[in-house]
Amino acid sequence: KFIRARLKEFPQMKPLLLFLKYFLLQRGLHETYTGGMGSYLLCNVVLHFLQRHPSRRSHKQYAATSLGHLLFDFLKYYGQEFNYNQQGISVLEGGSIFNKADRFPQNNRKGGGKGGGLQLCLESPMMPSADLGGAAFRMPILRNLFHHGFHCISHLFVTRSPPEVSMLCPLLIDPAHPVIT
C-alpha cells in the first residue's frame, strides 16, 4: 500500500525503477539475498531520491526535468554524493536523512556490514525500528556501479553524442541481454 501510494504521488518512480531493476539484473545485483538491491529496497531508495530532488520545490523545474535528467541525478547522488558512512534514509513524512549512528547504533560497526566497507541504512517505512539497507551487503559494489553509470552518461554529454545514439545503450544496458531481446 505504501509503495503504491508513492507511485501515484511520483509518476517518474515507475520508469526509473524499471530501468534500474534491469540495470542491476544484468550485473547480478538485483536481489537482496545475494547482497544486491531487491525490489522493495530499490523502491525506497528511488523514492528517497525523488523526495529530495530539487525539481520537487519548483513547478517550473519539475516540468522541465526529464527521466534522463532524473537518472543522471540518481546515479550522481548514490554514486558520489550520498554519505553511506554517516547518513541514513527515511522515506516517511516526505523523506529525510538522519545520522545513522544515532538511530541504528547496533549497525554502526567499523567496516560496515557483512561485506565490509560501505553500508546503506534505510529505515523501513512499515517498521521504523528496522534497517532495510543492511541486507545490501554488496553496497560498495553498488555504489561503484552507480558512480560508473554517472560517468558513462557524463561522457556521452561531453562527447556530444548524436541524437540517434542511445544515451543508455550500450554503456549502461546490454541490448543483447536475454531480458531485453
Side-chain angles (χ1 to χ4, degrees):
K1 278 183 163 181
F2 178 78
I3 294 298
R4 278 193 210 120
R6 300 298 79 76
L7 284 168
K8 288 179 182 170
E9 184 181 351
F10 296 95
Q12 317 90 326
M13 194 170 157
K14 191 172 185 176
L16 276 175
L17 283 169
L18 286 172
F19 175 82
L20 290 166
K21 192 67 177 172
Y22 282 126
F23 182 63
L24 296 174
L25 171 80
Q26 291 181 333
R27 288 149 180 90
L29 295 166
H30 64 294
E31 294 178 326
T32 307
Y33 72 87
T34 60
M37 207 174 267
S39 297
Y40 187 62
L41 179 57
L42 184 60
C43 283
N44 282 285
V45 164
V46 170
L47 174 59
H48 165 71
F49 165 75
L50 292 173
Q51 287 173 327
R52 62 146 305 273
H53 195 267
S55 66
R56 291 284 294 166
R57 292 182 215 113
S58 160
H59 182 70
K60 187 177 177 181
Q61 189 176 0
Y62 177 81
T65 303
S66 69
L67 284 170
H69 188 134
L70 288 172
L71 176 63
F72 179 83
D73 289 347
F74 175 91
L75 294 170
K76 182 180 180 186
Y77 181 66
Y78 286 110
Q80 64 185 54
E81 293 175 353
F82 187 77
N83 185 343
Y84 294 90
N85 292 322
Q86 296 176 356
Q87 295 176 329
I89 296 169
S90 174
V91 293
L92 295 173
E93 299 175 21
S96 63
I97 293 173
F98 57 83
N99 182 326
K100 73 180 188 178
D102 293 342
R103 183 110 27 117
F104 293 100
Q106 70 277 15
N107 296 357
N108 201 33
R109 297 181 298 274
K110 185 91 169 147
K114 207 173 182 179
L118 301 175
Q119 185 178 5
L120 179 66
C121 179
L122 197 147
E123 170 190 82
S124 170
M126 307 322 290
M127 189 169 62
S129 62
D131 176 10
L132 297 176
F137 59 85
R138 294 172 71 190
M139 201 61 228
I141 295 167
L142 287 160
R143 186 207 155 273
N144 287 342
L145 180 60
F146 295 147
H147 186 74
H148 176 73
F150 164 70
H151 282 285
C152 287
I153 294 176
S154 296
H155 172 75
L156 291 172
F157 284 141
V158 170
T159 58
R160 299 186 186 271
S161 289
E164 64 274 4
V165 174
S166 170
M167 295 290 280
L168 302 179
C169 298
L171 295 175
L172 298 178
I173 288 190
D174 178 8
H177 193 278
V179 171
I180 304 297
T181 56

